[in-house]
Amino acid sequence: PDIEYKRPSYKIKPAPDPADVFTVINLCRKEQVKVMLQLMVLCGLRWQETRLLRWEDVRGNKVRVSAPKTTEAIVAIPDELQEWFNTNRKKEGWVFEGNRRKHTPYLKLDHYFRKIRKETGIHLSAHLLRHAGAIYLHRITRDVKSICDHLRHANLAVTATYRDWE
């Protein structure tokens, strides 16, 4: 007989309300971090995809996204972020440099998420930003298939779990 596997509830972290996430993003003082967070929410980018973006992959209002363990894709840059990309445009290199002297990509955001949790009580992580973006999109479209495509999930059932956390 088929046995349905259900993940234990203690492992599922509820996604924060998108309104709370946008509030947290607006509190961010570092413009580069603010843009990274917005990309993860609005474009459904994973942390590795975001931090490994290169200027060579930015073409107009689109960016080629690829990272280890992800499928390559072309993603539209949201209009509200286009000005930042135009202003900070370089010929080559990392879009989000963590160490400018060593020219390395941004390494981690844990310190930022800990600080936010202390200030606001809102629990965030890079992956929860993706979940909040899925919930935000679900409130607008209610179309799980389009959300699945947006997040680049191979399986519609995975996207459905995001919706169920709302």
Side-chain angles (χ1 to χ4, degrees):
D2 288 334
I3 298 173
E4 185 178 320
Y5 175 75
K6 186 175 180 180
R7 287 186 283 178
S9 60
Y10 65 86
K11 288 193 176 196
I12 299 174
K13 291 180 181 165
D17 187 275
D20 290 341
V21 171
F22 289 121
T23 298
V24 166
I25 290 172
N26 288 330
L27 291 173
C28 186
R29 291 181 204 102
K30 283 187 167 183
E31 197 67 24
Q32 177 176 251
V33 173
K34 191 175 196 173
V35 172
M36 285 190 288
L37 300 176
Q38 288 174 312
L39 276 173
M40 286 187 277
V41 172
L42 298 174
C43 298
L45 296 186
R46 295 169 178 91
W47 167 240
Q48 288 291 9
E49 294 169 336
T50 304
R51 78 179 207 89
L52 296 176
L53 286 177
R54 298 191 61 84
W55 285 113
E56 299 92 274
D57 296 326
V58 178
R59 299 277 189 269
N61 65 347
K62 293 189 171 43
V63 64
R64 183 179 64 86
V65 175
S66 65
K69 298 184 182 179
T70 65
T71 305
E72 186 175 302
I74 304 295
V75 176
I77 298 169
D79 292 340
E80 55 265 46
L81 300 180
Q82 193 62 54
E83 184 180 334
W84 185 89
F85 274 84
N86 292 340
T87 303
N88 293 285
R89 179 83 170 119
K90 294 182 179 137
K91 189 175 179 181
E92 61 183 26
W94 304 108
V95 173
F96 304 110
E97 273 191 342
N99 186 326
R100 285 188 167 83
R101 281 180 280 147
K102 294 182 181 178
H103 302 288
T104 57
Y106 213 92
L107 187 58
K108 55 186 167 181
L109 290 175
D110 294 343
H111 61 285
Y112 177 72
F113 293 130
R114 277 193 301 274
K115 179 181 170 189
I116 287 301
R117 192 170 23 254
K118 283 181 185 176
E119 290 178 11
T120 66
I122 298 170
H123 176 79
L124 284 180
S125 68
H127 199 69
L128 286 180
L129 292 175
R130 189 169 153 82
H131 289 245
I135 290 170
Y136 175 71
L137 193 55
H138 182 256
R139 288 178 182 171
I140 295 169
T141 69
R142 298 285 181 199
D143 179 14
V144 179
K145 175 68 173 121
S146 66
I147 298 167
C148 181
D149 294 342
H150 177 76
L151 296 173
R152 299 177 325 278
H153 284 155
N155 187 337
L156 196 59
V158 174
T159 307
T161 64
Y162 283 45
R163 183 194 67 220
D164 293 341
W165 292 357
E166 186 172 4

